[in-house]
Short mmCIF file of all heavy atoms in Angstrom, two decimals:
data_model
loop_
_atom_site.label_atom_id
_atom_site.label_comp_id
_atom_site.label_asym_id
_atom_site.label_seq_id
_atom_site.Cartn_x
_atom_site.Cartn_y
_atom_site.Cartn_z
N HIS D 1028 6.89 -45.94 9.14
CA HIS D 1028 6.28 -44.71 9.67
C HIS D 1028 7.35 -43.64 9.68
O HIS D 1028 7.14 -42.56 9.12
CB HIS D 1028 5.80 -45.01 11.10
CG HIS D 1028 5.05 -43.85 11.72
ND1 HIS D 1028 4.67 -43.89 13.02
CD2 HIS D 1028 4.70 -42.63 11.24
CE1 HIS D 1028 4.07 -42.71 13.32
NE2 HIS D 1028 4.09 -41.99 12.24
N GLY D 1029 8.48 -43.91 10.22
CA GLY D 1029 9.56 -42.89 10.29
C GLY D 1029 10.04 -42.45 8.93
O GLY D 1029 10.37 -41.28 8.76
N ASP D 1030 10.07 -43.35 8.01
CA ASP D 1030 10.58 -42.97 6.69
C ASP D 1030 9.71 -41.93 6.03
O ASP D 1030 10.26 -41.13 5.21
CB ASP D 1030 10.65 -44.22 5.75
CG ASP D 1030 11.88 -45.05 6.06
OD1 ASP D 1030 12.76 -44.56 6.81
OD2 ASP D 1030 11.95 -46.18 5.51
N ARG D 1031 8.46 -41.88 6.37
CA ARG D 1031 7.63 -40.83 5.80
C ARG D 1031 8.15 -39.50 6.22
O ARG D 1031 8.25 -38.54 5.43
CB ARG D 1031 6.17 -41.03 6.22
CG ARG D 1031 5.55 -42.29 5.70
CD ARG D 1031 4.01 -42.16 5.61
NE ARG D 1031 3.40 -41.74 6.86
CZ ARG D 1031 2.87 -42.57 7.81
NH1 ARG D 1031 2.95 -43.85 7.66
NH2 ARG D 1031 2.31 -42.08 8.89
N TYR D 1032 8.47 -39.36 7.56
CA TYR D 1032 9.00 -38.12 8.06
C TYR D 1032 10.37 -37.79 7.39
O TYR D 1032 10.62 -36.69 6.95
CB TYR D 1032 9.18 -38.21 9.55
CG TYR D 1032 10.15 -37.23 10.12
CD1 TYR D 1032 9.93 -35.87 10.04
CD2 TYR D 1032 11.37 -37.66 10.67
CE1 TYR D 1032 10.85 -34.95 10.57
CE2 TYR D 1032 12.29 -36.75 11.12
CZ TYR D 1032 12.03 -35.43 11.14
OH TYR D 1032 12.96 -34.53 11.59
N TYR D 1033 11.24 -38.83 7.29
CA TYR D 1033 12.56 -38.57 6.63
C TYR D 1033 12.41 -38.12 5.20
O TYR D 1033 13.19 -37.31 4.66
CB TYR D 1033 13.45 -39.79 6.74
CG TYR D 1033 13.81 -40.15 8.21
CD1 TYR D 1033 13.69 -41.43 8.64
CD2 TYR D 1033 14.30 -39.17 9.08
CE1 TYR D 1033 13.97 -41.73 9.97
CE2 TYR D 1033 14.61 -39.49 10.40
CZ TYR D 1033 14.46 -40.76 10.82
OH TYR D 1033 14.79 -41.06 12.16
N ARG D 1034 11.39 -38.73 4.56
CA ARG D 1034 11.24 -38.31 3.13
C ARG D 1034 10.77 -36.87 3.03
O ARG D 1034 11.24 -36.12 2.19
CB ARG D 1034 10.14 -39.25 2.49
CG ARG D 1034 10.17 -39.22 0.96
CD ARG D 1034 9.42 -40.36 0.33
NE ARG D 1034 8.03 -40.31 0.66
CZ ARG D 1034 7.12 -39.52 -0.01
NH1 ARG D 1034 7.54 -38.69 -0.94
NH2 ARG D 1034 5.89 -39.49 0.38
N TYR D 1035 9.90 -36.46 3.87
CA TYR D 1035 9.41 -35.06 3.90
C TYR D 1035 10.63 -34.13 4.13
O TYR D 1035 10.88 -33.09 3.46
CB TYR D 1035 8.37 -34.80 4.92
CG TYR D 1035 7.96 -33.35 4.95
CD1 TYR D 1035 7.04 -32.84 4.05
CD2 TYR D 1035 8.61 -32.40 5.79
CE1 TYR D 1035 6.70 -31.46 4.03
CE2 TYR D 1035 8.29 -31.06 5.79
CZ TYR D 1035 7.34 -30.58 4.90
OH TYR D 1035 7.07 -29.30 4.88
N GLU D 1036 11.41 -34.52 5.14
CA GLU D 1036 12.59 -33.74 5.53
C GLU D 1036 13.56 -33.55 4.34
O GLU D 1036 14.10 -32.48 4.09
CB GLU D 1036 13.26 -34.38 6.67
CG GLU D 1036 14.48 -33.59 7.29
CD GLU D 1036 15.27 -34.41 8.33
OE1 GLU D 1036 15.42 -35.61 8.15
OE2 GLU D 1036 15.59 -33.79 9.36
N ALA D 1037 13.78 -34.66 3.60
CA ALA D 1037 14.66 -34.55 2.48
C ALA D 1037 14.14 -33.66 1.37
O ALA D 1037 14.89 -32.98 0.71
CB ALA D 1037 14.91 -36.02 1.94
N ILE D 1038 12.80 -33.73 1.16
CA ILE D 1038 12.26 -32.88 0.14
C ILE D 1038 12.41 -31.40 0.50
O ILE D 1038 12.83 -30.59 -0.30
CB ILE D 1038 10.73 -33.20 -0.03
CG1 ILE D 1038 10.59 -34.59 -0.69
CG2 ILE D 1038 10.05 -32.15 -0.88
CD1 ILE D 1038 9.12 -35.08 -0.69
N LEU D 1039 12.11 -31.09 1.78
CA LEU D 1039 12.25 -29.71 2.21
C LEU D 1039 13.71 -29.23 2.08
O LEU D 1039 13.98 -28.16 1.66
CB LEU D 1039 11.73 -29.54 3.59
CG LEU D 1039 11.73 -28.18 4.21
CD1 LEU D 1039 10.98 -27.20 3.36
CD2 LEU D 1039 11.24 -28.15 5.64
N ASP D 1040 14.57 -30.10 2.47
CA ASP D 1040 16.04 -29.75 2.41
C ASP D 1040 16.41 -29.44 0.98
O ASP D 1040 17.15 -28.42 0.78
CB ASP D 1040 16.87 -30.97 2.88
CG ASP D 1040 18.33 -30.69 2.93
OD1 ASP D 1040 18.75 -29.48 2.89
OD2 ASP D 1040 19.15 -31.62 2.91
N ARG D 1041 15.94 -30.22 0.04
CA ARG D 1041 16.29 -30.00 -1.35
C ARG D 1041 15.73 -28.70 -1.90
O ARG D 1041 16.32 -28.05 -2.75
CB ARG D 1041 15.85 -31.23 -2.20
CG ARG D 1041 16.35 -31.15 -3.58
CD ARG D 1041 15.99 -32.31 -4.52
NE ARG D 1041 15.02 -33.24 -4.07
CZ ARG D 1041 13.66 -32.98 -4.12
NH1 ARG D 1041 13.22 -31.81 -4.49
NH2 ARG D 1041 12.85 -33.90 -3.68
N ARG D 1042 14.58 -28.27 -1.33
CA ARG D 1042 13.88 -27.13 -1.95
C ARG D 1042 14.39 -25.79 -1.59
O ARG D 1042 14.17 -24.77 -2.26
CB ARG D 1042 12.39 -27.24 -1.61
CG ARG D 1042 11.68 -28.37 -2.28
CD ARG D 1042 10.16 -28.25 -2.08
NE ARG D 1042 9.57 -27.23 -2.84
CZ ARG D 1042 8.94 -27.40 -3.95
NH1 ARG D 1042 8.75 -28.60 -4.49
NH2 ARG D 1042 8.40 -26.41 -4.63
N THR D 1043 15.07 -25.63 -0.42
CA THR D 1043 15.46 -24.29 0.01
C THR D 1043 16.75 -24.24 0.75
O THR D 1043 17.00 -25.08 1.64
CB THR D 1043 14.37 -23.65 0.85
OG1 THR D 1043 14.86 -22.44 1.41
CG2 THR D 1043 13.90 -24.55 2.00
N PRO D 1044 17.60 -23.26 0.47
CA PRO D 1044 18.82 -23.02 1.25
C PRO D 1044 18.52 -22.62 2.69
O PRO D 1044 19.46 -22.70 3.52
CB PRO D 1044 19.57 -21.92 0.50
CG PRO D 1044 18.67 -21.44 -0.55
CD PRO D 1044 17.46 -22.27 -0.63
N ASP D 1045 17.35 -22.24 3.01
CA ASP D 1045 17.00 -21.79 4.34
C ASP D 1045 16.58 -22.95 5.26
O ASP D 1045 16.17 -22.73 6.38
CB ASP D 1045 15.92 -20.76 4.36
CG ASP D 1045 16.55 -19.34 4.44
OD1 ASP D 1045 17.77 -19.22 4.63
OD2 ASP D 1045 15.78 -18.34 4.27
N PHE D 1046 16.75 -24.22 4.77
CA PHE D 1046 16.53 -25.40 5.64
C PHE D 1046 17.67 -26.35 5.36
O PHE D 1046 18.17 -26.44 4.28
CB PHE D 1046 15.19 -26.05 5.23
CG PHE D 1046 14.95 -27.28 6.06
CD1 PHE D 1046 14.42 -27.13 7.36
CD2 PHE D 1046 15.22 -28.56 5.62
CE1 PHE D 1046 14.19 -28.26 8.13
CE2 PHE D 1046 14.97 -29.67 6.36
CZ PHE D 1046 14.49 -29.54 7.62
N GLN D 1047 18.04 -27.05 6.48
CA GLN D 1047 19.20 -28.00 6.32
C GLN D 1047 18.97 -29.16 7.31
O GLN D 1047 18.08 -29.09 8.21
CB GLN D 1047 20.50 -27.32 6.61
CG GLN D 1047 20.55 -26.59 7.91
CD GLN D 1047 20.87 -27.50 9.05
OE1 GLN D 1047 21.89 -28.15 9.08
NE2 GLN D 1047 19.96 -27.63 10.03
N THR D 1048 19.79 -30.22 7.18
CA THR D 1048 19.64 -31.41 8.00
C THR D 1048 20.94 -31.73 8.76
O THR D 1048 20.94 -32.71 9.52
CB THR D 1048 19.26 -32.60 7.14
OG1 THR D 1048 20.24 -32.87 6.18
CG2 THR D 1048 17.85 -32.39 6.46
N GLU D 1049 21.95 -30.91 8.57
CA GLU D 1049 23.19 -31.27 9.25
C GLU D 1049 23.17 -31.01 10.72
O GLU D 1049 23.61 -31.84 11.49
CB GLU D 1049 24.36 -30.36 8.64
CG GLU D 1049 25.72 -30.70 9.13
CD GLU D 1049 26.78 -29.84 8.54
OE1 GLU D 1049 26.47 -29.00 7.59
OE2 GLU D 1049 27.96 -29.91 8.95
N PHE D 1050 22.56 -29.91 11.10
CA PHE D 1050 22.50 -29.58 12.52
C PHE D 1050 21.03 -29.77 13.03
O PHE D 1050 20.14 -29.58 12.33
CB PHE D 1050 22.95 -28.15 12.77
CG PHE D 1050 24.30 -27.85 12.30
CD1 PHE D 1050 24.55 -27.27 11.04
CD2 PHE D 1050 25.41 -28.24 13.12
CE1 PHE D 1050 25.85 -26.99 10.64
CE2 PHE D 1050 26.74 -27.98 12.64
CZ PHE D 1050 26.93 -27.33 11.43
N GLY D 1051 20.97 -30.20 14.34
CA GLY D 1051 19.61 -30.37 14.87
C GLY D 1051 19.74 -31.06 16.27
O GLY D 1051 20.82 -31.04 16.84
N TYR D 1052 18.62 -31.62 16.67
CA TYR D 1052 18.61 -32.28 17.99
C TYR D 1052 19.10 -33.73 17.87
O TYR D 1052 18.98 -34.36 16.79
CB TYR D 1052 17.24 -32.27 18.53
CG TYR D 1052 16.67 -30.88 18.80
CD1 TYR D 1052 15.28 -30.65 18.63
CD2 TYR D 1052 17.48 -29.86 19.29
CE1 TYR D 1052 14.76 -29.37 18.91
CE2 TYR D 1052 16.97 -28.61 19.52
CZ TYR D 1052 15.59 -28.39 19.33
OH TYR D 1052 15.08 -27.13 19.58
N THR D 1053 19.52 -34.31 18.94
CA THR D 1053 19.86 -35.71 19.04
C THR D 1053 18.53 -36.49 19.12
O THR D 1053 17.60 -36.10 19.85
CB THR D 1053 20.68 -35.96 20.29
OG1 THR D 1053 21.86 -35.09 20.23
CG2 THR D 1053 21.15 -37.39 20.35
N ASN D 1054 18.47 -37.57 18.38
CA ASN D 1054 17.24 -38.39 18.44
C ASN D 1054 17.14 -39.15 19.76
O ASN D 1054 18.15 -39.50 20.37
CB ASN D 1054 17.30 -39.44 17.33
CG ASN D 1054 17.20 -38.81 15.94
OD1 ASN D 1054 16.82 -37.66 15.81
ND2 ASN D 1054 17.54 -39.60 14.92
N ALA D 1055 15.89 -39.34 20.17
CA ALA D 1055 15.65 -40.16 21.34
C ALA D 1055 15.97 -41.62 21.05
O ALA D 1055 15.86 -42.07 19.89
CB ALA D 1055 14.17 -40.04 21.76
N ALA D 1056 16.42 -42.38 22.00
CA ALA D 1056 16.67 -43.79 21.84
C ALA D 1056 15.34 -44.55 21.74
O ALA D 1056 14.27 -44.05 22.19
CB ALA D 1056 17.44 -44.33 23.02
N PRO D 1057 15.36 -45.74 21.16
CA PRO D 1057 14.07 -46.49 20.99
C PRO D 1057 13.31 -46.58 22.31
O PRO D 1057 13.85 -46.93 23.37
CB PRO D 1057 14.55 -47.87 20.55
CG PRO D 1057 15.81 -47.55 19.79
CD PRO D 1057 16.45 -46.44 20.55
N GLY D 1058 12.06 -46.26 22.24
CA GLY D 1058 11.16 -46.38 23.39
C GLY D 1058 11.33 -45.27 24.38
O GLY D 1058 10.61 -45.20 25.38
N LYS D 1059 12.23 -44.33 24.13
CA LYS D 1059 12.51 -43.27 25.11
C LYS D 1059 11.87 -41.91 24.74
O LYS D 1059 12.13 -40.87 25.36
CB LYS D 1059 14.03 -43.05 25.18
CG LYS D 1059 14.83 -44.30 25.69
CD LYS D 1059 14.41 -44.68 27.08
CE LYS D 1059 15.32 -45.77 27.62
NZ LYS D 1059 14.84 -46.25 28.93
N ALA D 1060 11.05 -41.91 23.76
CA ALA D 1060 10.46 -40.60 23.36
C ALA D 1060 9.54 -40.07 24.45
O ALA D 1060 8.85 -40.85 25.19
CB ALA D 1060 9.60 -40.80 22.06
N ASN D 1061 9.57 -38.78 24.57
CA ASN D 1061 8.74 -38.14 25.63
C ASN D 1061 7.35 -37.81 25.05
O ASN D 1061 7.17 -36.92 24.20
CB ASN D 1061 9.41 -36.84 26.05
CG ASN D 1061 8.58 -36.08 27.12
OD1 ASN D 1061 7.46 -36.46 27.43
ND2 ASN D 1061 9.22 -35.02 27.69
N LEU D 1062 6.39 -38.60 25.43
CA LEU D 1062 5.04 -38.52 24.87
C LEU D 1062 4.25 -37.30 25.33
O LEU D 1062 3.18 -37.04 24.89
CB LEU D 1062 4.23 -39.78 25.06
CG LEU D 1062 4.83 -41.02 24.33
CD1 LEU D 1062 4.02 -42.26 24.69
CD2 LEU D 1062 4.77 -40.79 22.81
N ALA D 1063 4.89 -36.57 26.22
CA ALA D 1063 4.28 -35.32 26.64
C ALA D 1063 4.54 -34.17 25.66
O ALA D 1063 3.93 -33.15 25.72
CB ALA D 1063 4.81 -34.90 28.01
N MET D 1064 5.45 -34.42 24.69
CA MET D 1064 5.69 -33.47 23.68
C MET D 1064 4.80 -33.71 22.45
O MET D 1064 4.45 -34.82 22.10
CB MET D 1064 7.18 -33.54 23.26
CG MET D 1064 8.09 -33.18 24.38
SD MET D 1064 9.88 -33.41 24.00
CE MET D 1064 10.06 -32.07 22.78
N SER D 1065 4.41 -32.66 21.87
CA SER D 1065 3.39 -32.68 20.86
C SER D 1065 3.73 -33.63 19.71
O SER D 1065 2.91 -34.52 19.32
CB SER D 1065 3.19 -31.27 20.31
OG SER D 1065 2.27 -31.30 19.25
N THR D 1066 4.90 -33.49 19.13
CA THR D 1066 5.21 -34.31 17.94
C THR D 1066 5.17 -35.77 18.27
O THR D 1066 4.57 -36.59 17.51
CB THR D 1066 6.58 -33.86 17.37
OG1 THR D 1066 6.43 -32.55 16.83
CG2 THR D 1066 7.04 -34.82 16.28
N ASN D 1067 5.74 -36.19 19.34
CA ASN D 1067 5.70 -37.57 19.72
C ASN D 1067 4.29 -38.05 19.96
O ASN D 1067 3.91 -39.11 19.52
CB ASN D 1067 6.57 -37.82 20.98
CG ASN D 1067 8.03 -37.64 20.70
OD1 ASN D 1067 8.51 -37.83 19.55
ND2 ASN D 1067 8.76 -37.11 21.69
N GLN D 1068 3.57 -37.29 20.69
CA GLN D 1068 2.16 -37.65 21.07
C GLN D 1068 1.33 -37.82 19.79
O GLN D 1068 0.57 -38.80 19.62
CB GLN D 1068 1.51 -36.59 21.94
CG GLN D 1068 0.04 -36.82 22.31
CD GLN D 1068 -0.15 -38.04 23.16
OE1 GLN D 1068 -1.12 -38.79 22.96
NE2 GLN D 1068 0.81 -38.29 24.11
N VAL D 1069 1.48 -36.88 18.87
CA VAL D 1069 0.66 -36.87 17.66
C VAL D 1069 1.06 -38.02 16.75
O VAL D 1069 0.24 -38.68 16.13
CB VAL D 1069 0.70 -35.51 16.93
CG1 VAL D 1069 0.07 -35.52 15.54
CG2 VAL D 1069 0.01 -34.42 17.80
N ALA D 1070 2.35 -38.27 16.70
CA ALA D 1070 2.86 -39.40 15.83
C ALA D 1070 2.34 -40.76 16.44
O ALA D 1070 1.94 -41.63 15.72
CB ALA D 1070 4.36 -39.40 15.75
N GLU D 1071 2.40 -40.79 17.71
CA GLU D 1071 1.97 -42.02 18.43
C GLU D 1071 0.42 -42.21 18.32
O GLU D 1071 -0.10 -43.29 18.02
CB GLU D 1071 2.43 -42.01 19.89
CG GLU D 1071 2.00 -43.18 20.74
CD GLU D 1071 2.81 -44.44 20.48
OE1 GLU D 1071 3.90 -44.28 19.81
OE2 GLU D 1071 2.42 -45.54 20.84
N ARG D 1072 -0.29 -41.19 18.70
CA ARG D 1072 -1.71 -41.20 18.89
C ARG D 1072 -2.46 -41.42 17.58
O ARG D 1072 -3.46 -42.13 17.53
CB ARG D 1072 -2.13 -39.91 19.53
CG ARG D 1072 -3.57 -39.80 20.01
CD ARG D 1072 -3.83 -38.42 20.59
NE ARG D 1072 -5.11 -38.32 21.33
CZ ARG D 1072 -5.21 -38.51 22.61
NH1 ARG D 1072 -4.14 -38.80 23.37
NH2 ARG D 1072 -6.40 -38.37 23.19
N PHE D 1073 -1.95 -40.79 16.49
CA PHE D 1073 -2.69 -40.76 15.24
C PHE D 1073 -1.94 -41.49 14.12
O PHE D 1073 -2.39 -41.59 12.99
CB PHE D 1073 -2.97 -39.34 14.79
CG PHE D 1073 -3.73 -38.53 15.76
CD1 PHE D 1073 -3.12 -37.55 16.54
CD2 PHE D 1073 -5.14 -38.71 15.93
CE1 PHE D 1073 -3.85 -36.79 17.49
CE2 PHE D 1073 -5.84 -37.96 16.87
CZ PHE D 1073 -5.18 -36.99 17.66
N GLY D 1074 -0.75 -41.97 14.47
CA GLY D 1074 0.10 -42.52 13.38
C GLY D 1074 0.49 -41.50 12.37
O GLY D 1074 0.82 -41.82 11.22
N ALA D 1075 0.51 -40.25 12.70
CA ALA D 1075 0.73 -39.15 11.78
C ALA D 1075 2.24 -39.02 11.42
O ALA D 1075 3.07 -39.36 12.25
CB ALA D 1075 0.26 -37.86 12.39
N THR D 1076 2.48 -38.51 10.29
CA THR D 1076 3.81 -37.99 9.92
C THR D 1076 3.91 -36.66 10.66
O THR D 1076 3.27 -35.65 10.22
CB THR D 1076 3.93 -37.76 8.42
OG1 THR D 1076 3.68 -39.07 7.78
CG2 THR D 1076 5.35 -37.36 8.05
N ALA D 1077 4.60 -36.64 11.80
CA ALA D 1077 4.59 -35.46 12.64
C ALA D 1077 6.01 -34.92 12.77
O ALA D 1077 7.01 -35.63 12.57
CB ALA D 1077 4.05 -35.80 14.02
N MET D 1078 6.08 -33.60 13.10
CA MET D 1078 7.44 -33.06 13.16
C MET D 1078 7.36 -31.70 13.89
O MET D 1078 6.33 -31.04 13.90
CB MET D 1078 8.04 -32.85 11.75
CG MET D 1078 7.24 -31.91 10.91
SD MET D 1078 7.61 -32.16 9.12
CE MET D 1078 6.76 -33.74 8.88
N THR D 1079 8.54 -31.33 14.41
CA THR D 1079 8.70 -30.00 15.00
C THR D 1079 9.66 -29.26 14.08
O THR D 1079 10.73 -29.67 13.83
CB THR D 1079 9.38 -30.17 16.38
OG1 THR D 1079 8.63 -31.14 17.16
CG2 THR D 1079 9.40 -28.84 17.13
N LEU D 1080 9.16 -28.06 13.66
CA LEU D 1080 10.03 -27.17 12.85
C LEU D 1080 10.67 -26.16 13.77
O LEU D 1080 9.98 -25.49 14.53
CB LEU D 1080 9.20 -26.48 11.77
CG LEU D 1080 9.98 -25.47 10.94
CD1 LEU D 1080 11.03 -26.14 10.04
CD2 LEU D 1080 9.06 -24.61 10.10
#
Side-chain angles (χ1 to χ4, degrees):
Chain D
H1028 184 187
D1030 281 350
R1031 298 205 307 267
Y1032 160 66
Y1033 294 131
R1034 197 165 66 78
Y1035 178 85
E1036 185 187 41
I1038 291 170
L1039 182 58
D1040 181 19
R1041 190 178 10 76
R1042 290 187 74 99
T1043 171
D1045 263 351
F1046 180 80
Q1047 57 80 59
T1048 59
E1049 184 181 355
F1050 301 98
Y1052 297 146
T1053 305
N1054 292 344
K1059 299 295 188 187
N1061 180 352
L1062 293 176
M1064 296 174 69
S1065 175
T1066 290
N1067 292 327
Q1068 177 65 220
V1069 170
E1071 177 76 15
R1072 189 181 191 95
F1073 302 103
T1076 305
M1078 63 202 70
T1079 309
L1080 176 67

